[in-house]
Amino acid sequence: MAPKINGTGVMPEDTRICVVMVGLPARGKSYIAQRAQRYLKWLSIPAKTFNVGNYRRKDAPHPSADFFDTNNAEGERQRRAAANAAVTDMIQWFKTGGVVGILDATNSTKERRKWVLERLSKEGIEVLFVESKCDDEELIMANIRDVKTTSPDYQGQDPEQAALDFRERIRHYEKVYKSINDDNDEDHLTYLKIMNVGKKVFINRIQDYLQSRVVYFLMNLHIRPRSVWLSRHGESEYNLEGRIGGDSLLSHRGEEYARKLPELVRQSVGSDRPLTVWTSTLKRTIATARHLPKHYNQLQWKALDELDAGVCDGLTYQEIADQYPEDFQARDEDKYNYRYRGGESYRDVVIRLEPIIMELERSENILIISHQAVIRCIYAYFMQKPQEESPWVPVPLHTLIKLTPRAYDTLVEKYDAKIKAVSTWRGKGSTAKHEDPTPEGGI
Amino acid sequence: MAPKINGTGVMPEDTRICVVMVGLPARGKSYIAQRAQRYLKWLSIPAKTFNVGNYRRKDAPHPSADFFDTNNAEGERQRRAAANAAVTDMIQWFKTGGVVGILDATNSTKERRKWVLERLSKEGIEVLFVESKCDDEELIMANIRDVKTTSPDYQGQDPEQAALDFRERIRHYEKVYKSINDDNDEDHLTYLKIMNVGKKVFINRIQDYLQSRVVYFLMNLHIRPRSVWLSRHGESEYNLEGRIGGDSLLSHRGEEYARKLPELVRQSVGSDRPLTVWTSTLKRTIATARHLPKHYNQLQWKALDELDAGVCDGLTYQEIADQYPEDFQARDEDKYNYRYRGGESYRDVVIRLEPIIMELERSENILIISHQAVIRCIYAYFMQKPQEESPWVPVPLHTLIKLTPRAYDTLVEKYDAKIKAVSTWRGKGSTAKHEDPTPEGGI
């Protein structure tokens, strides 16, 4: 068998998993599905969500609650056909290299789960059921509010009417809903049951590494409101000279940014609640964090250090192009995968950032002060940037970025310190020391 | 608050956890406790196990089963006193910087768990109950066989007699045993319940990162028999020149080792069952794995690359001593913590190896072909080598090492390829290119 380069330990060639969501409507299933997909794709694991509702809407775009009444034979037939179409498409997708397919539907009866298991097992696909249970009325209400305003099922309808109808729909599901293995006859299933967004977790028959990674990630998710702040270090002496890497100190303007950062943070937090500050172990990020309030907890992570440029560390782009012309070209051709001699690629950085992402998912308000390539990778995670784009994203110096995760996307706000700094962005093929980013795609 | 260098994301200054084992005798509690302690200490998290049996043995060194009869008031009093002494010592230990204390005892009644929780909560210590449940008769019998031959309780006694008595002891416990939250009145406890060594896992109210790390590690443990094979790459061209780091090819003798490795592996595996081979991404380990049978799955991990020597990469020790005399000395003074300029320390290597260890715990038979410093760190994990020793352990070239984890230790076997190679070991203060290791402490 050909050796496979693999930093995460995940061995996709051996494994194809279908994550089958289970649960009543308004239990956060789509939220969980979307988060899992984002995490896996960021780790270069081909993942895709198949939402049965989207298939059903082709035939029944705006069904009222009685469509979901179990006594409604025609509704039942259409819903079954939608599930079948979604699973058929997913199996097709696995044949083209898919690794983790996510079936986003209620799958709330034993019969439906049995059917899904049989269809997928026949194709050699592992099935991991993920049930979200919730009896916290407040959480359910928040989900209902969300659905009535965002679901295409209720597009253009009166929100109050929509909420009533949706509650009626949930009641129809409740009549037939059976939590996994509640009757002790589904003990053969591989499943993860999450109660009240992680307060309790039940795990049954997890088999391999990839399943265990997915489970561990989902265990760590929470939905408490929070933001993540990102900032590059202040302008450094190396930035002024157009040199990459190194461990230089801040320029005068960089120092100015460090002094201004507490005010920017205060502005964007909007209150006095403390943040936890994570820096890299390099002087320029530590110096940038120096003036933040003393009661902020600070932590240095080696995993937040800048992409290691190996033999090119400390050079300008012109020097790299002169001394390593082939490398310079190879990097421009595939910047995500290009690994500096004796150093790292963006792909390597993502792998070492994985524990950071895991910890970010667990945490509440965190301010990360790090470096261009690292911030690009973290930004790509939250914004679902494709790999071919993320290494080219302009991340300006002297700018605080606030990311606020929402149900289906992430809100980005920018706080410009209005302190001049050089640009360290570089276009494809360019060896300029400082050049203005092209307009599209910046943070 | 002073910034804290921290690669693992664990924030010990905030957290003190008591892991309270729960379960009948012969359910692998001590095994789990010992594994958790080894893992945490390897990650520099102060961890210590307090075994209540050891305290009880001070008063009752060889008790027969009726000592454990719940109607035996004197036995009951002594066992309670032992638990109290263990908890008191643990609280004392927390005050001197302990982070994760492990209380190894049955804690099989609700009353006892309530008492433990109250004692520790009063001191601000988090309590994580870890219950091992097992109804697999074969596993229990294997544990009983183990106890009757290794437990100090039965020292010098007839093994068959001991097994009978031990079964009787278990029956006494069974009379009062209550699995955590089986009556739904322990829902406020933070706990992990592991059934049949990981087949089912139940997690309740896990609160913080350190708890979640412990839980994830314990979820991944298994007890199926297996071995781990370690080998350095064959002798490299840089080894011949006494240079560190780099990405050189194998010497002629190194090539010879690569050709001989399949035979060594066959010898030590003792059968034809396939191994999975993990190498680093560097040429010398990949070349060393080249002649292994085609049906062995091979995987390259960046995390298995050699310790990054930063600015010293490619130098000889003499050149390092000449060009960076202060660094050379600082490294000898604290080799575990010394981080090469622009490179790594042993501590950094351990942090990036953490996912490798996690995956090793999940896996069965793995052959790792890597580098001196990396193998030292993995070896230190299995052999519980202290940090001040592990960076000095001689790991000879052209030698296959087989580690077989057992209940309370790890068996080491060595297979010498009998192909000459230079020594790359270096004593404190030495700048010799090749020197023989001092006799003590080698693998």
Side-chain angles (χ1 to χ4, degrees), chain B residues 82-202:
Chain B
N84 191 41
V87 169
T88 305
D89 278 4
M90 187 192 285
I91 290 170
Q92 209 43 48
W93 173 80
F94 276 120
K95 287 179 181 157
T96 63
V99 175
V100 181
I102 304 171
L103 188 64
D104 185 9
T106 55
N107 298 302
S108 51
T109 64
K110 281 190 237 176
E111 294 68 32
R112 176 58 58 90
R113 295 194 284 268
K114 185 161 179 280
W115 173 80
V116 170
L117 181 69
E118 281 173 5
R119 283 274 328 247
L120 292 158
S121 303
K122 238 191 312 195
E123 308 286 335
I125 296 157
E126 299 174 8
V127 178
L128 165 61
F129 291 95
V130 173
E131 177 168 355
S132 177
K133 275 185 88 168
C134 184
D135 53 19
D136 180 329
E137 264 305 313
E138 223 174 294
L139 276 177
I140 298 171
M141 278 311 297
N143 268 325
I144 291 177
R145 272 194 299 277
D146 208 52
V147 168
K148 82 181 178 195
T149 51
T150 62
S151 168
D153 282 355
Y154 294 111
Q155 217 177 8
Q157 293 185 34
D158 170 63
E160 286 325 297
Q161 214 40 51
L164 279 175
D165 183 87
F166 191 56
R167 288 191 148 268
E168 185 62 25
R169 185 196 295 191
I170 294 174
R171 266 189 291 278
H172 285 307
Y173 275 102
E174 277 168 343
K175 275 186 254 165
V176 293
Y177 169 57
K178 193 55 104 170
S179 179
I180 299 179
N181 205 23
D182 262 10
D183 297 340
N184 285 318
D185 56 357
E186 292 182 304
D187 204 41
H188 56 291
L189 302 183
T190 295
Y191 65 85
L192 165 68
K193 209 187 272 202
I194 306 173
M195 271 87 101
N196 291 336
V197 205
K199 250 195 198 146
K200 277 174 202 283
V201 176
F202 191 90

Side-chain angles (χ1 to χ4, degrees), chain A residues 140-298:
Chain A
I140 297 171
M141 277 312 296
N143 269 325
I144 291 177
R145 271 194 300 275
D146 209 51
V147 168
K148 82 181 178 195
T149 51
T150 63
S151 168
D153 282 355
Y154 294 112
Q155 217 176 7
Q157 294 184 35
D158 170 63
E160 286 324 297
Q161 213 42 51
L164 279 175
D165 183 87
F166 190 56
R167 290 191 146 265
E168 184 64 24
R169 184 197 296 191
I170 294 174
R171 266 190 292 277
H172 285 306
Y173 275 101
E174 277 168 343
K175 277 186 253 165
V176 292
Y177 168 57
K178 193 55 105 171
S179 179
I180 299 179
N181 205 23
D182 262 11
D183 297 340
N184 284 318
D185 55 357
E186 292 182 304
D187 205 41
H188 56 290
L189 301 183
T190 294
Y191 65 85
L192 164 69
K193 208 187 274 201
I194 305 173
M195 271 87 101
N196 291 335
V197 206
K199 251 198 197 144
K200 277 175 202 282
V201 176
F202 192 90
I203 301 164
N204 196 51
R205 295 187 186 273
I206 295 301
Q207 297 159 37
D208 54 42
Y209 186 67
L210 187 49
Q211 287 185 5
S212 107
R213 291 306 304 173
V214 172
V215 164
Y216 184 56
F217 176 76
L218 295 179
M219 272 168 57
N220 283 330
L221 282 184
H222 73 78
I223 53 164
R224 296 181 294 280
R226 55 84 172 265
S227 297
V228 174
W229 287 261
L230 305 176
S231 171
R232 294 178 63 187
H233 53 80
E235 184 187 68
S236 74
E237 288 165 357
Y238 261 35
N239 290 154
L240 287 178
E241 297 169 24
R243 297 193 178 279
I244 66 169
D247 192 10
S248 67
L249 292 170
L250 298 182
S251 71
H252 284 296
R253 298 190 299 201
E255 289 287 354
E256 204 182 324
Y257 177 67
R259 282 191 302 272
K260 185 140 189 206
L261 187 57
E263 188 193 319
L264 277 194
V265 170
R266 220 169 14 246
Q267 255 180 47
S268 82
V269 173
S271 77
D272 234 5
R273 70 190 158 148
L275 304 178
T276 299
V277 182
W278 296 351
T279 67
S280 75
T281 66
L282 297 170
K283 292 181 190 131
R284 55 196 186 277
T285 64
I286 296 166
T288 305
R290 197 166 41 204
H291 302 288
L292 290 166
K294 288 284 163 277
H295 62 285
Y296 286 16
N297 211 338
Q298 288 196 19

